[in-house]
Amino acid sequence: MHTIPLGQTEVSVSQLALGCMLMGTLTNEADSFAMLDRYLAAGGTFLDTADCYAWWPGPEYTGGESESVLGRWFARTGRRDEVFLATKGSAWVADPEAARAGRLSDDEKYAGTAGDTLRHALDGSLRRLGVDHVDLYYVHVDDPRTPLEETLEALAGLVAAGKTRYLGWSNVPTWRLERIRQLCDRFGWPAPVALQQEHTYLRRHPGSGNLSIVDDQQLAYLRSHKDLTLVAYSPILKGVYDDVHKQRDLAQMRSYHGADTDARLATVAKVATELGISGSLLVLAWMLHQRSPRRVALIGPRTPAQYDELVAALDVALDDAVLDVLDAAGA
């Protein structure tokens, strides 16, 4: 398991992170524990969750299930100090039933980033996890309703209190990220060291308004700001590279549809066939080979079998010729 530096901190994290989003809901506790055990046995250290995971799978769920499962695993194994633990706040949903029914806008749905909201959110996460601190705390969804100064001052207080070591941001456009960094520099607040965004081999089409997806501008920004590490969620887009029906119907694909995506999907299919591996495995290996900027690939398997399939990407070596073909593809 390779590691990469977390920003310009003294910490290195596993380049393949284990997303725990479905643990405690669609993934039962036994399978969750099995994947956690296997991940650590493979040398993995980077676990990712959030307080809102996962309210959406069904009416019996309210959020917090993933953190609670991790808390029970820590209690059973005593392995808290062996992992780099990340969780997130600001996207807690107080009314999951209304959210599942689609009756709420994002502004109405999410808790937001007010100072007291974040303080209470992290305290709740620590209780569910059964720990006294996390290693990385993200703002999960950006909140333009709350002044950035209030949010950043509250986050600085959480670091000062020892409740989190580092800070991160997720689902945020580049201009907003630069504003965050400027305010941190001006007031001496701790700046984010991790940026978690949707990122895959496909490129967002120019007409998409989905600012949660890394675009060329954001990649260029990250190349110039090495104190930020990109953590890529949805690197295989729910298996879209191996399923023509998902390529057509998956809701996430709305941000990618177009000639460029068609060309890239065709290239993945051709190269994967030549190498005798799945398209998902090829794309995940491609991401792990990226150097400018380096990035963490965040996988979120639902079953131990899916975990085993995805972790095999660590053993896929892509030579420069293959990488050149993949990188050159597009319309």
Side-chain angles (χ1 to χ4, degrees):
M1 184 82 67
H2 293 295
T3 62
I4 63 171
L6 180 70
Q8 292 180 329
T9 71
E10 296 180 354
V11 172
S12 291
V13 295
S14 300
Q15 195 179 12
L16 191 68
L18 181 59
C20 305
M21 179 174 71
L22 300 179
M23 294 183 181
T25 53
L26 296 182
T27 305
N28 63 38
E29 187 158 306
D31 284 349
S32 299
F33 284 10
M35 287 191 284
L36 290 162
D37 291 341
R38 291 183 197 181
Y39 179 66
L40 265 68
T45 59
F46 194 173
L47 301 181
D48 179 274
T49 186
D51 63 352
C52 65
Y53 294 163
W55 55 267
W56 54 89
E60 65 270 39
Y61 304 123
T62 61
E65 289 86 1
S66 171
E67 290 178 329
S68 296
V69 164
L70 283 172
R72 291 192 290 275
W73 182 77
F74 289 137
R76 188 199 73 168
T77 63
R79 304 189 75 174
R80 164 64 184 98
D81 293 339
E82 297 179 42
V83 303
F84 187 87
L85 177 60
T87 194
K88 313 177 194 75
S90 78
W92 179 266
V93 173
D95 191 347
E97 181 180 354
R100 282 189 292 267
R103 296 197 299 268
L104 303 176
S105 68
D106 285 351
D107 285 348
E108 297 168 323
K109 184 190 307 181
Y110 298 129
T113 62
D116 283 343
T117 299
L118 290 176
R119 285 186 282 268
H120 291 312
L122 183 51
D123 284 343
S125 291
L126 295 178
R127 284 193 301 271
R128 287 185 291 272
L129 289 162
V131 301
D132 61 5
H133 76 283
V134 295
D135 298 295
L136 177 62
Y137 192 57
Y138 290 99
V139 170
H140 199 167
V141 292
D142 198 26
D143 175 17
R145 301 165 298 171
T146 302
L148 274 174
E149 291 86 348
E150 178 182 348
T151 299
L152 293 168
E153 186 174 21
L155 292 170
L158 297 175
V159 174
K163 295 182 179 183
T164 183
R165 296 169 63 196
Y166 302 107
L167 300 171
W169 222 275
S170 184
N171 301 302
V172 61
T174 305
W175 72 265
R176 180 84 162 168
L177 186 62
E178 175 61 17
R179 178 63 176 156
I180 290 163
R181 290 162 52 85
Q182 289 177 358
L183 287 170
C184 289
D185 183 64
R186 179 187 303 174
F187 293 103
W189 293 324
V193 299
L195 172 67
Q196 187 172 136
Q197 299 279 90
E198 182 175 319
H199 179 50
T200 185
Y201 171 70
L202 302 182
R203 298 180 285 213
R204 189 182 83 187
H205 72 69
S208 171
N210 188 343
L211 300 178
S212 296
I213 300 174
V214 173
D215 60 8
D216 288 344
Q217 181 187 65
Q218 198 159 77
L219 286 174
Y221 186 86
L222 289 164
R223 291 185 190 104
S224 300
H225 296 86
K226 299 187 185 303
D227 54 336
L228 272 171
T229 293
L230 174 60
V231 179
Y233 73 80
S234 291
I236 62 169
L237 287 178
K238 299 182 179 179
V240 74
Y241 296 98
D242 300 297
D243 189 327
V244 294
H245 299 291
K246 287 184 177 180
Q247 291 170 16
R248 184 188 63 237
D249 301 331
L250 185 70
Q252 273 178 286
M253 286 296 289
R254 294 171 188 162
S255 297
Y256 298 99
H257 281 314
D260 187 73
T261 285
D262 293 342
R264 290 210 142 197
L265 287 171
T267 298
V268 166
K270 180 176 183 295
V271 173
T273 298
E274 291 170 351
L275 295 178
I277 60 177
S278 69
S280 293
L281 207 57
L282 174 62
V283 166
L284 197 52
W286 169 85
M287 185 164 295
L288 295 173
H289 279 71
Q290 298 306 299
R291 297 292 180 267
S292 182
R294 292 194 175 212
R295 56 210 81 176
V296 171
L298 176 61
I299 59 171
R302 184 175 57 82
T303 67
Q306 289 178 355
Y307 167 81
D308 290 340
E309 291 172 6
L310 294 174
V311 80
L314 295 170
D315 298 321
V316 176
L318 303 178
D319 60 29
D320 289 343
V322 170
L323 291 171
D324 287 346
V325 167
L326 291 170
D327 291 339

